[in-house]
Amino acid sequence: MSIFENSKLYISARSPFARRVRIALREHKINYEEVVFNVFETNPQLNTANPLRRVPVIVLESGMEIVDSNQILKVFYDEQISSPLQAKDIRQKIVCANWSGIAVGVCELVVQYFLETQKEKALQDEALIREIREIIDEALNKYEKYLGEKEFCLGTQLTQTDIDWGVALFYLQLRMPIKLDVSFPKLNKYMNSLGQQESFKTTLPSAL
């Protein structure tokens, strides 16, 4: 039995970092409980589990805790060595690691953009906002070209990298709307296809 069975996953409903873990657990049929927090409020339970006051945090049945989506997924896939969502050889692992890193970076930039745009207009850093949009546009353009006509990052095999990109694209639509169907039609098709996965449907924030 997986050590992740009967664990508690601390999340916020719209966190893309928590969502990539939620989808991975659901794809592997892991039984776990989600504990939802508003990360813009003080949460003693979350703060005790993670002094950085961020989600996700997973609390295993043993009481052990793991913070940060990258670290949670690293331990998870170290256990799930035969997972169909993992690359099979070192070349594929490098490709997936590269594109997952960019997808998670896009999510981090979107968070930064969202927080900046929540400030009063006079206090917003327009140069920073413009730079973030340019960087995200470059990342999307690069993945659009790489993806081409492939169904998934590695062709026909769904991997965690595709989960990460699906989460990033949906989060982008939530916080920084871009007309993907106009600017990035291949990514738009890719996102919509991933959105048909049950694990994506059941983790979609209500605002979407």
Side-chain angles (χ1 to χ4, degrees):
M1 185 177 75
S2 170
I3 61 170
F4 288 83
E5 285 286 341
N6 304 316
S7 56
K8 291 184 178 181
L9 183 65
Y10 293 177
I11 70 168
S12 70
R14 294 180 177 84
S15 167
F17 312 105
R19 193 181 183 201
R20 63 193 291 249
V21 176
R22 296 164 70 196
I23 291 174
L25 295 178
R26 289 169 189 238
E27 286 288 333
H28 291 83
K29 311 301 182 188
I30 301 295
N31 294 309
Y32 73 101
E33 176 187 351
E34 291 181 352
V35 182
V36 183
F37 293 96
N38 181 346
V39 293
F40 296 107
E41 297 178 352
T42 300
N43 300 291
Q45 186 180 359
L46 174 61
N47 298 351
T48 297
N50 183 4
L52 299 177
R53 304 183 180 185
R54 300 173 184 167
V55 295
V57 179
I58 198 161
V59 182
L60 304 179
E61 190 174 29
S62 65
M64 299 179 72
E65 300 160 343
I66 312 171
V67 306
D68 186 82
S69 63
N70 288 324
Q71 300 307 316
I72 294 170
L73 290 171
K74 181 182 184 305
V75 175
F76 181 69
Y77 284 114
D78 281 348
E79 181 194 56
Q80 301 287 327
I81 56 174
S82 299
S83 169
L85 296 185
Q86 287 293 277
K88 305 306 180 188
D89 60 48
I90 189 61
R91 180 188 173 283
Q92 289 183 340
K93 288 180 184 293
I94 292 171
V95 170
C96 285
N98 176 60
W99 287 118
S100 279
I102 293 174
V104 173
V106 166
C107 291
E108 292 169 347
L109 286 169
V110 175
V111 170
Q112 189 179 5
Y113 170 91
F114 173 72
L115 293 176
E116 188 66 28
T117 57
Q118 294 308 292
K119 297 178 181 177
E120 293 182 21
K121 189 68 176 178
L123 299 177
Q124 292 179 17
D125 187 334
E126 294 297 334
L128 176 61
I129 291 172
R130 187 165 54 251
E131 181 182 28
I132 291 172
R133 295 187 71 99
E134 289 174 355
I135 294 172
I136 290 176
D137 188 71
E138 289 176 10
L140 297 180
N141 186 55
K142 186 172 182 178
Y143 194 54
E144 169 102 347
K145 289 180 178 178
Y146 167 79
L147 197 61
E149 301 305 319
K150 294 192 289 294
E151 182 181 5
F152 300 119
C153 180
L154 293 182
T156 59
Q157 177 194 354
L158 176 70
T159 64
Q160 180 66 42
T161 299
D162 299 296
I163 292 172
D164 295 340
W165 267 99
V167 166
L169 293 170
F170 274 104
Y171 189 61
L172 193 65
Q173 299 306 292
L174 177 67
R175 297 303 197 195
M176 198 179 88
I178 291 178
K179 293 183 177 180
L180 290 179
D181 58 335
V182 175
S183 302
F184 303 99
K186 293 175 183 177
L187 291 185
N188 187 62
K189 179 181 177 182
Y190 176 66
M191 179 186 71
N192 289 332
S193 176
L194 289 167
Q196 297 306 306
Q197 299 276 345
E198 191 64 22
S199 56
F200 271 84
K201 290 180 179 179
T202 57
T203 58
L204 191 68
S206 57
L208 288 180

